[in-house]
Amino acid sequence: MKSHFKKLIPSYSATKGAFSLVSVPPLQYLKIDGSGDPNTAASYKDALSTMYPVAYKLKFFSKGELGQDYGVMPLEALWWADDMDAFTSARDKSLWEWTLMNMVPDWITQEHFDAACSQVAKKGAAPALERLRLERLEEGLSVQTLHVGPYDDEGPVLEEMHHRFIPQHSLRMTGKHHEIYLGDPRRTAPEKLRTILRQPVAPTAE
């Protein structure tokens, strides 16, 4: 039986036009770091070119050798900057730092990951393989919403999340801004792109 984690994990669902509080379970990801404008930075392109060959190698290994099939998960990313207004009012992409991520099941081990990287390396088509790692992320309590439309239209939504919803609910931002890309920008019109916008939070200390 094939596991579809987008349906099995509730935090992979969000509602357009509404902010909701969710409890995100600890999850395991392929991760790769970088910085700069994702539209122009070579490191971003190299990261994408590296992550997916390994993700699919792990998927087919899991199906063939472990007898556990699953759908490859959508691209995700953590984003941050010294001044978070770089994502809202200033919208300066040159200041962005990021970690691209792809969720993989808990039954994938470091040994499996190392073997997949070794096989991908032999094909010579993964330019940033030395930057890729397997790592868990624990976000816990988070605020999230579904944004529909171009990525560059996210600013006002994040402004409302950061400066209205979170403080009004006696919360403070803790972890990094997290985006989950439910649409493929290569095949989807910008106005139809669906992105979950997430911000880990914690109660404000009284």
Side-chain angles (χ1 to χ4, degrees), residues 45-163:
K45 181 180 179 181
D46 289 346
L48 286 177
S49 299
T50 297
M51 180 170 290
Y52 277 104
V54 175
Y56 277 96
K57 183 66 70 174
L58 287 171
K59 176 254 195 320
F60 291 124
F61 168 82
S62 181
K63 179 181 179 180
E65 301 299 323
L66 304 179
Q68 299 189 87
D69 193 13
Y70 63 92
V72 172
M73 291 293 280
L75 179 68
E76 307 183 38
L78 303 178
W79 301 90
W80 70 100
D82 290 338
D83 181 355
M84 286 302 288
D85 283 345
F87 292 94
T88 55
S89 55
R91 202 69 181 170
D92 187 347
K93 299 178 184 179
S94 67
L95 301 177
W96 293 2
E97 305 282 341
W98 42 263
T99 299
L100 291 188
M101 307 194 301
N102 181 256
M103 197 219 100
V104 295
D106 284 343
W107 64 73
I108 297 296
T109 68
Q110 183 68 41
E111 183 179 3
H112 299 150
F113 169 75
D114 291 342
C117 288
S118 179
Q119 292 178 36
V120 169
K122 292 177 181 178
K123 297 185 177 180
L129 201 55
E130 74 285 352
R131 290 162 46 207
L132 188 67
R133 66 189 186 276
L134 181 67
E135 189 173 82
R136 293 181 70 77
L137 176 65
E138 298 188 19
E139 292 180 298
L141 183 65
S142 300
V143 176
Q144 66 183 36
T145 188
L146 178 67
H147 172 70
V148 179
Y151 302 135
D152 282 339
D153 289 352
E154 293 175 4
V157 181
L158 296 176
E159 183 85 16
E160 185 176 6
M161 178 190 286
H162 295 174
H163 300 295

